Amino acid sequence: MLKYEDVQEFIKENGFENQIAELYSQEEQPGLRSLRMSPSKHSVDEETERKLIEKYGLEKPEPEQIQSSPKVIVQRNLASKVIDGIIAIRLDVDDKWVDLDLIHLQTGVRPIQRITGLVTQYEKNGRNWEIGETKSVDRSSVKNGNFFSWKIPKEAVSDYFEYDLRVTESNVTTRFDNKGDRDPIHQRYNFEVDTYKRLKANGGQRHHLVSAKALNDAGFSSGDAPCIRMITEDHYNTPNYGGATSFRNKEMRYLQNQEYEKLLQFEVDALKEAEDSEGRYRNLQVKYYDAIIEALRDYHDYFGIEI
């Protein structure tokens, strides 16, 4: 829509270039931060992380090149078809907050009459997305900038947000929504690490970096072993999930020979070959990088070996 010649002329003639650039700016999108695991209570210091990267050849995730996708309506005079203005709604998501921003580009700007509607959280539960919480929106005389904020910390293994709004301007109501978009910038991950006994699945599954069967058969307590909260489909893609007998036999040999660092390297290398069920990352090692760093640190403590 913004590519039309008369729209570009309207933007240029009225000096709206900076506002349009801000509307699509990645730097202004706090939701980009949600694509990585937020720091947990067991955060790993930089020196330990550096050592683990070198020891196990870990690959860091590359910065996500995700562009904001605001919903834009160009207002035109019903009689002359001349552009009166541009209205855009943008949803921003971070680890604690969900915000809605209004961009109203108009010569002689006046507030939007009214914005009403609903913002809905969807939480991952197993293989399905289910409605979590909802929040109503009802604002009058809305000016440029933020017009809705919702504090909603992460709980589920993953969640995302949709909005369905009605914007009334000059007594004309227009629908703005992102329903069904599943935009990655509006999705959050919650990949925490703890022992199997303490970690809650929260709609996902608990993944033993070293399989529970191999640990138990070798005389270890799998309940006390570090685990990663994973999306269910990702857990199914891990190499030691379910009946991977040959893989677990190799784990057993490393455990019986007390070759713990070789075992952990074996697990890391296998995750580099495991597919991201969402198709967003090269492999599960990259997708769960932060959690794997933490789990490796905890497994060194668990096996009683130095990093």
Side-chain angles (χ1 to χ4, degrees):
M1 185 175 292
L2 297 183
K3 294 180 180 179
Y4 293 134
E5 186 174 338
D6 62 341
V7 177
Q8 293 178 354
E9 288 179 0
F10 173 81
I11 292 169
K12 186 175 181 179
E13 289 175 359
N14 292 284
F16 290 145
E17 291 94 339
N18 290 339
Q19 291 95 325
I20 292 295
E22 179 182 345
L23 178 64
Y24 287 92
S25 169
Q26 294 182 32
E27 294 180 359
E28 296 294 327
Q29 299 298 300
L32 284 172
R33 296 197 298 271
S34 70
L35 296 175
R36 294 285 303 280
M37 188 183 90
S38 57
S40 71
K41 59 185 177 180
H42 304 296
S43 58
V44 178
D45 63 82
E46 291 183 5
E47 179 61 18
T48 299
E49 180 177 2
R50 183 190 64 78
K51 289 180 179 179
L52 289 170
I53 291 172
E54 292 180 357
K55 181 183 286 289
Y56 295 105
L58 295 168
E59 302 174 46
K60 284 189 175 183
E62 297 175 358
E64 288 287 324
Q65 298 300 315
I66 299 176
Q67 188 171 9
S68 175
S69 55
K71 301 300 179 181
V72 181
I73 295 292
V74 175
Q75 299 171 286
R76 296 179 185 272
N77 185 286
L78 294 179
S80 66
K81 303 300 181 182
V82 173
I83 297 175
D84 287 335
I86 297 173
I87 299 176
I89 301 288
R90 188 178 72 189
L91 176 68
D92 288 338
V93 178
D94 68 16
D95 286 347
K96 294 183 179 179
W97 291 90
V98 175
D99 293 302
L100 284 169
D101 296 325
L102 168 70
I103 305 292
H104 186 203
L105 307 182
Q106 187 181 46
T107 54
V109 175
R110 64 178 181 272
I112 294 292
Q113 281 180 260
R114 193 177 184 193
I115 301 177
T116 61
L118 198 67
V119 178
T120 303
Q121 175 203 39
Y122 289 84
E123 295 183 318
K124 193 72 170 175
N125 187 9
R127 292 184 169 184
N128 302 316
W129 288 102
E130 299 179 354
I131 293 179
E133 298 186 46
T134 60
K135 194 81 167 178
S136 61
V137 181
D138 192 346
R139 301 288 187 273
S140 298
S141 189
V142 186
K143 298 180 180 180
N144 276 322
N146 176 262
F147 66 90
F148 171 86
S149 290
W150 180 13
K151 187 175 184 179
I152 179 166
K154 296 186 299 186
E155 292 185 4
V157 63
S158 184
D159 63 6
Y160 77 95
F161 295 84
E162 291 184 351
Y163 60 87
D164 190 2
L165 305 174
R166 303 296 183 274
V167 176
T168 302
E169 169 63 1
S170 301
N171 296 318
V172 175
T173 298
T174 304
R175 181 177 183 178
F176 284 73
D177 74 86
N178 69 335
K179 298 183 73 173
D181 286 358
R182 279 289 315 280
D183 192 331
I185 204 170
H186 301 148
Q187 183 177 353
R188 307 188 296 186
Y189 291 142
N190 188 16
F191 304 150
E192 291 192 352
V193 176
D194 209 330
T195 64
Y196 183 85
K197 291 191 294 188
R198 290 197 295 258
L199 185 66
K200 294 181 179 180
N202 289 7
Q205 294 189 359
R206 295 169 291 180
H207 170 64
H208 283 90
L209 189 61
V210 180
S211 69
K213 178 170 175 53
L215 289 170
N216 289 330
D217 289 350
F220 291 91
S221 169
S222 62
D224 294 317
C227 284
I228 299 170
R229 180 187 296 134
M230 279 190 173
I231 291 172
T232 296
E233 295 99 319
D234 286 341
H235 192 207
Y236 292 160
N237 288 345
T238 57
N240 62 11
Y241 177 82
T245 305
S246 61
F247 191 93
R248 291 181 177 182
N249 288 340
K250 292 178 181 178
E251 290 179 315
M252 274 298 298
R253 287 198 292 273
Y254 285 124
L255 287 167
Q256 291 169 343
N257 295 331
Q258 298 184 11
E259 296 176 317
Y260 303 125
E261 290 177 322
K262 289 183 178 180
L263 169 62
L264 295 176
Q265 185 68 67
F266 176 62
E267 306 290 358
V268 167
D269 290 344
L271 287 174
K272 289 181 179 179
E273 300 298 322
E275 182 179 356
D276 171 18
S277 65
E278 297 177 306
R280 191 176 302 167
Y281 293 88
R282 293 194 306 277
N283 53 57
L284 293 187
Q285 187 267 284
V286 173
K287 183 174 185 176
Y288 289 85
Y289 169 84
D290 296 293
I292 290 169
I293 284 283
E294 189 174 328
L296 287 171
R297 189 276 313 275
D298 290 354
Y299 264 101
H300 275 257
D301 292 340
Y302 179 77
F303 289 132
I305 55 177
E306 293 185 0
I307 296 176

Coordinates of all heavy atoms in Angstrom, one line a residue, residues 31-32 34-36 61-66 129 158-160 181-189 191 231 234 275-284 286-287:
G31 N 10.0 -6.6 20.7 CA 9.7 -8.0 20.5 C 10.8 -8.9 20.0 O 10.8 -10.1 20.1
L32 N 11.8 -8.2 19.3 CA 12.9 -9.0 18.8 C 13.7 -9.7 20.0 O 14.2 -10.8 19.8 CB 13.9 -8.1 18.1 CG 13.5 -7.6 16.7 CD1 14.4 -6.6 16.2 CD2 13.4 -8.8 15.7
S34 N 12.5 -11.2 22.4 CA 11.8 -12.4 22.9 C 12.2 -13.6 22.1 O 11.8 -14.7 22.4 CB 10.3 -12.2 22.8 OG 9.8 -12.2 21.5
L35 N 12.9 -13.5 21.0 CA 13.3 -14.6 20.2 C 14.4 -15.4 20.9 O 14.8 -16.5 20.4 CB 13.7 -14.2 18.8 CG 12.6 -13.6 18.0 CD1 13.1 -13.1 16.7 CD2 11.5 -14.6 17.8
R36 N 15.0 -14.9 21.9 CA 16.0 -15.6 22.7 C 15.5 -15.9 24.1 O 14.6 -15.2 24.6 CB 17.3 -14.7 22.8 CG 18.0 -14.5 21.4 CD 18.7 -15.7 21.0 NE 19.7 -16.1 21.9 CZ 20.9 -15.5 22.1 NH1 21.2 -14.5 21.3 NH2 21.8 -16.0 23.0
P61 N 23.1 -18.2 18.0 CA 22.1 -17.8 17.0 C 22.5 -16.5 16.3 O 23.1 -15.6 16.9 CB 20.9 -17.6 17.9 CG 21.2 -18.3 19.2 CD 22.6 -18.2 19.3
E62 N 22.2 -16.4 15.0 CA 22.4 -15.1 14.3 C 21.3 -14.1 14.6 O 20.2 -14.6 14.9 CB 22.5 -15.4 12.8 CG 23.7 -16.3 12.4 CD 23.7 -16.6 11.0 OE1 22.8 -16.2 10.3 OE2 24.6 -17.3 10.5
P63 N 21.6 -12.8 14.6 CA 20.5 -11.9 14.8 C 19.3 -12.1 13.8 O 19.5 -12.3 12.6 CB 21.2 -10.5 14.5 CG 22.6 -10.8 14.7 CD 22.9 -12.2 14.3
E64 N 18.1 -12.1 14.4 CA 16.9 -12.3 13.6 C 16.6 -11.1 12.7 O 16.5 -10.0 13.1 CB 15.7 -12.6 14.5 CG 15.8 -13.9 15.2 CD 15.5 -15.1 14.2 OE1 14.7 -14.9 13.3 OE2 16.1 -16.1 14.4
Q65 N 16.5 -11.4 11.4 CA 16.2 -10.3 10.4 C 14.7 -10.4 10.2 O 14.2 -10.8 9.2 CB 16.9 -10.5 9.1 CG 18.4 -10.5 9.3 CD 18.9 -9.1 9.8 OE1 18.4 -8.1 9.3 NE2 19.8 -9.2 10.7
I66 N 13.9 -9.9 11.2 CA 12.5 -9.9 11.2 C 12.0 -8.4 11.1 O 12.3 -7.6 12.0 CB 11.9 -10.6 12.4 CG1 12.3 -12.1 12.4 CG2 10.4 -10.5 12.4 CD1 11.9 -12.8 13.6
W129 N -2.1 -24.7 20.0 CA -2.1 -23.4 20.5 C -3.5 -23.2 21.2 O -4.5 -23.5 20.5 CB -1.9 -22.3 19.4 CG -0.5 -22.3 18.9 CD1 0.0 -22.8 17.8 CD2 0.6 -21.6 19.6 NE1 1.3 -22.5 17.6 CE2 1.7 -21.8 18.7 CE3 0.8 -20.9 20.8 CZ2 3.0 -21.3 19.1 CZ3 2.0 -20.4 21.1 CH2 3.1 -20.6 20.3
S158 N 5.9 -21.4 25.2 CA 5.9 -20.4 24.2 C 4.5 -19.7 24.1 O 3.5 -20.4 24.4 CB 6.2 -21.0 22.8 OG 6.3 -20.0 21.8
D159 N 4.4 -18.5 23.8 CA 3.1 -17.8 23.5 C 3.2 -16.8 22.5 O 4.3 -16.4 22.1 CB 2.5 -17.3 24.8 CG 3.4 -16.1 25.4 OD1 4.4 -15.7 24.8 OD2 3.0 -15.7 26.5
Y160 N 2.1 -16.4 21.9 CA 2.1 -15.3 21.0 C 0.8 -14.5 21.1 O -0.1 -14.9 21.8 CB 2.3 -15.8 19.5 CG 1.1 -16.4 18.9 CD1 0.2 -15.7 18.0 CD2 0.8 -17.7 19.0 CE1 -0.9 -16.2 17.4 CE2 -0.3 -18.3 18.4 CZ -1.1 -17.6 17.6 OH -2.2 -18.2 17.1
D181 N -1.9 -14.4 11.6 CA -0.6 -14.1 11.0 C 0.6 -14.9 11.6 O 1.5 -15.3 11.0 CB -0.2 -12.6 11.2 CG -1.0 -11.7 10.3 OD1 -1.8 -12.2 9.5 OD2 -0.9 -10.5 10.4
R182 N 0.5 -15.2 12.9 CA 1.5 -15.9 13.7 C 2.9 -15.3 13.3 O 3.9 -16.0 13.0 CB 1.6 -17.4 13.3 CG 0.5 -18.3 14.0 CD 0.9 -18.5 15.5 NE 2.3 -18.8 15.7 CZ 2.8 -20.0 15.5 NH1 2.1 -21.0 15.1 NH2 4.1 -20.2 15.7
D183 N 3.0 -14.0 13.4 CA 4.2 -13.3 13.2 C 5.3 -13.6 14.2 O 5.0 -13.5 15.4 CB 3.9 -11.8 13.2 CG 5.1 -11.0 12.6 OD1 6.2 -11.4 12.7 OD2 4.8 -9.9 12.1
P184 N 6.5 -14.1 13.8 CA 7.5 -14.5 14.8 C 7.8 -13.3 15.8 O 8.2 -13.6 17.0 CB 8.7 -14.8 14.0 CG 8.1 -15.2 12.7 CD 6.9 -14.3 12.5
I185 N 7.7 -12.1 15.4 CA 8.0 -11.0 16.3 C 7.0 -10.8 17.4 O 7.3 -10.2 18.4 CB 8.1 -9.7 15.5 CG1 9.0 -8.7 16.2 CG2 6.7 -9.1 15.2 CD1 9.3 -7.4 15.3
H186 N 5.9 -11.5 17.3 CA 4.9 -11.5 18.4 C 4.9 -12.7 19.2 O 4.0 -12.9 20.0 CB 3.5 -11.2 17.8 CG 3.4 -10.0 17.0 ND1 2.6 -9.8 15.9 CD2 4.1 -8.8 17.1 CE1 2.7 -8.6 15.4 NE2 3.6 -7.9 16.1
Q187 N 5.9 -13.6 19.0 CA 6.0 -14.8 19.8 C 7.1 -14.8 20.8 O 8.1 -14.2 20.5 CB 6.2 -16.0 18.8 CG 6.2 -17.4 19.5 CD 6.4 -18.5 18.5 OE1 6.4 -18.3 17.3 NE2 6.6 -19.7 19.0
R188 N 6.8 -15.4 22.0 CA 7.9 -15.4 23.0 C 8.2 -16.9 23.3 O 7.4 -17.8 23.2 CB 7.3 -14.7 24.3 CG 6.8 -13.3 24.1 CD 6.5 -12.6 25.4 NE 5.4 -13.3 26.1 CZ 4.9 -12.7 27.2 NH1 5.4 -11.6 27.7 NH2 3.9 -13.3 27.9
Y189 N 9.5 -17.1 23.7 CA 9.9 -18.4 24.2 C 10.2 -18.4 25.7 O 10.6 -17.3 26.2 CB 11.2 -18.8 23.4 CG 11.0 -19.2 22.0 CD1 11.9 -18.8 21.0 CD2 9.8 -19.8 21.5 CE1 11.8 -19.1 19.7 CE2 9.7 -20.1 20.2 CZ 10.7 -19.7 19.3 OH 10.5 -20.0 17.9
F191 N 12.3 -21.0 27.5 CA 13.1 -22.2 27.6 C 14.0 -22.2 28.9 O 15.1 -21.8 28.8 CB 14.0 -22.4 26.4 CG 13.3 -22.4 25.1 CD1 13.9 -21.9 23.9 CD2 11.9 -22.8 25.0 CE1 13.2 -21.9 22.7 CE2 11.3 -22.8 23.8 CZ 11.9 -22.3 22.7
I231 N 9.6 -27.0 23.5 CA 8.4 -27.1 22.8 C 8.3 -28.6 22.4 O 9.3 -29.3 22.1 CB 8.4 -26.3 21.5 CG1 8.4 -24.8 21.9 CG2 7.3 -26.7 20.5 CD1 8.6 -23.9 20.7
D234 N 9.7 -30.0 19.2 CA 11.2 -30.0 19.3 C 11.7 -31.1 20.1 O 12.7 -31.8 19.7 CB 11.7 -28.7 19.9 CG 11.5 -27.5 18.9 OD1 11.4 -27.7 17.7 OD2 11.6 -26.3 19.4
E275 N 16.3 -31.1 13.8 CA 15.5 -30.0 13.1 C 14.6 -29.2 14.0 O 14.0 -29.7 14.9 CB 14.6 -30.7 12.1 CG 13.8 -29.8 11.2 CD 13.0 -30.5 10.2 OE1 13.1 -31.7 10.1 OE2 12.2 -29.8 9.5
D276 N 14.6 -27.9 13.8 CA 13.7 -27.0 14.5 C 12.3 -27.2 13.9 O 12.1 -27.1 12.7 CB 14.2 -25.6 14.3 CG 13.1 -24.5 14.8 OD1 12.2 -24.9 15.6 OD2 13.2 -23.4 14.4
S277 N 11.4 -27.6 14.8 CA 10.0 -27.9 14.3 C 9.3 -26.7 13.7 O 8.4 -26.9 12.9 CB 9.2 -28.5 15.5 OG 9.0 -27.5 16.5
E278 N 9.7 -25.5 14.1 CA 9.1 -24.3 13.5 C 9.8 -23.8 12.3 O 9.4 -22.8 11.7 CB 9.1 -23.2 14.6 CG 8.3 -23.6 15.8 CD 8.3 -22.5 16.9 OE1 9.4 -22.1 17.3 OE2 7.3 -22.0 17.3
G279 N 11.0 -24.4 11.9 CA 11.7 -24.0 10.8 C 12.3 -22.7 10.8 O 12.6 -22.1 9.8
R280 N 12.6 -22.2 12.0 CA 13.1 -20.8 12.1 C 14.6 -20.8 12.3 O 15.3 -19.8 11.9 CB 12.4 -20.1 13.3 CG 12.7 -18.6 13.4 CD 11.9 -18.0 14.6 NE 10.4 -18.3 14.4 CZ 9.5 -18.1 15.3 NH1 9.9 -17.7 16.5 NH2 8.2 -18.3 15.0
Y281 N 15.1 -21.8 13.0 CA 16.6 -21.9 13.2 C 17.2 -23.0 12.5 O 16.5 -24.0 12.1 CB 16.8 -22.1 14.8 CG 16.4 -20.9 15.6 CD1 15.1 -20.7 16.0 CD2 17.3 -19.8 15.9 CE1 14.7 -19.6 16.8 CE2 16.9 -18.7 16.6 CZ 15.6 -18.6 17.1 OH 15.2 -17.5 17.8
R282 N 18.5 -22.9 12.3 CA 19.2 -24.0 11.6 C 19.1 -25.4 12.2 O 19.0 -26.4 11.5 CB 20.7 -23.6 11.5 CG 21.0 -22.4 10.6 CD 22.5 -22.3 10.3 NE 23.4 -22.4 11.5 CZ 23.6 -21.3 12.3 NH1 23.1 -20.2 12.0 NH2 24.4 -21.5 13.3
N283 N 19.1 -25.4 13.5 CA 19.0 -26.7 14.3 C 18.6 -26.4 15.7 O 18.5 -25.2 16.1 CB 20.3 -27.4 14.2 CG 21.5 -26.6 14.6 OD1 21.5 -26.1 15.7 ND2 22.5 -26.5 13.8
L284 N 18.4 -27.4 16.5 CA 18.0 -27.2 17.9 C 19.1 -26.7 18.8 O 18.8 -26.0 19.8 CB 17.4 -28.5 18.4 CG 16.1 -29.0 17.8 CD1 15.6 -30.2 18.6 CD2 15.1 -27.9 17.8
V286 N 21.2 -24.4 18.0 CA 21.1 -22.9 17.8 C 19.8 -22.3 18.5 O 19.9 -21.4 19.2 CB 21.1 -22.5 16.3 CG1 20.9 -21.0 16.1 CG2 22.5 -22.9 15.7
K287 N 18.7 -23.0 18.3 CA 17.5 -22.5 18.8 C 17.5 -22.5 20.4 O 17.0 -21.5 21.0 CB 16.3 -23.4 18.4 CG 14.9 -22.9 18.9 CD 13.8 -23.7 18.2 CE 12.5 -23.2 18.6 NZ 11.4 -24.0 17.9

